[in-house]
Amino acid sequence: MPLPSRLGGHVRTHPRPRSPVGPAAAAATSRGARGSVPSEEVPRHPEVYKICFIFPNGDKYEGDCTRISPGVFERNGAGVHITPNGITYIGAWKDDKMNGIGRLEHFSGAVYEGEFKDNMYHGIGTYTFPNGAKYTGHFVENRVEGKGEYTDIHGLEWTGTFHYTAAPGLKLKLQM
């Protein structure tokens, strides 16, 4: 049953059985998809719910959430977020942010697959550019940082250490 949201969207919740390993291990939290429900006490170990939430701007989230306080739900666990302009995120959520492993598809055709931290590319991942070139390696707060490989549009593979927009000492991998 749709429930009115304080954000102006609608929320449908369906309780899911608690994970046998406990809600903390099975969940990741998010503050963006909050919906209001009738006041009730929040359990010590929040139940995980399946939720479908439409934001006032037309964004849509479907996935796991937990109740963080009476009447307030947060995205928590695995979910899909789709924007009207063609951006899609499929992956883990925590603290209302993309956290953990996920895939972010941009309307331009660019795709990032890998680790996220607080809505940023952070950790190991692969960024594929709209023209087909790709970078695989380390990211720190949305920037390429550290060891990685870049494959250009001709299929040539370059390796080295990247620092934001610079990559001194890149080496071409020879195919023999």
Side-chain angles (χ1 to χ4, degrees):
M1 165 158 112
L3 300 168
S5 159
R6 290 189 293 174
L7 297 173
H10 284 86
V11 176
R12 281 195 319 258
T13 60
H14 303 282
R16 272 190 8 184
R18 196 177 300 166
S19 167
V21 294
T29 310
S30 172
R31 287 183 183 26
R34 293 182 178 193
S36 63
V37 295
S39 253
E40 53 193 80
E41 192 171 320
V42 176
R44 218 165 187 171
H45 300 285
E47 282 187 77
V48 177
Y49 293 86
K50 276 291 199 196
I51 190 170
C52 178
F53 185 85
I54 299 172
F55 292 85
N57 68 355
D59 285 10
K60 182 179 179 180
Y61 173 78
E62 288 190 56
D64 297 338
C65 73
T66 57
R67 187 174 50 225
I68 60 162
S69 65
V72 180
F73 287 87
E74 283 188 334
R75 291 177 285 188
N76 188 350
V80 177
H81 187 106
I82 300 170
T83 69
N85 65 351
I87 297 172
T88 301
Y89 173 74
I90 303 166
W93 292 87
K94 182 177 180 185
D95 297 329
D96 197 27
K97 295 178 181 171
M98 297 175 286
N99 274 297
I101 303 297
R103 176 184 172 95
L104 183 64
E105 301 171 1
H106 297 271
F107 58 86
S108 67
V111 175
Y112 173 81
E113 288 187 80
E115 297 176 84
F116 287 82
K117 181 180 178 188
D118 296 333
N119 284 339
M120 293 184 278
Y121 311 150
H122 194 86
I124 304 293
T126 298
Y127 186 92
T128 305
F129 297 85
N131 67 3
K134 77 177 178 180
Y135 168 82
T136 300
H138 294 268
F139 290 81
V140 175
E141 297 181 349
N142 281 344
R143 297 179 177 196
V144 294
E145 188 71 46
K147 293 190 178 208
E149 294 184 4
Y150 175 78
T151 304
D152 66 24
I153 60 173
H154 304 292
L156 297 174
E157 295 179 9
W158 302 83
T159 63
T161 302
F162 293 77
H163 180 65
Y164 189 43
T165 58
L170 271 186
K171 295 182 177 137
L172 179 64
K173 280 174 91 176
L174 296 175
Q175 306 293 330
M176 300 190 151

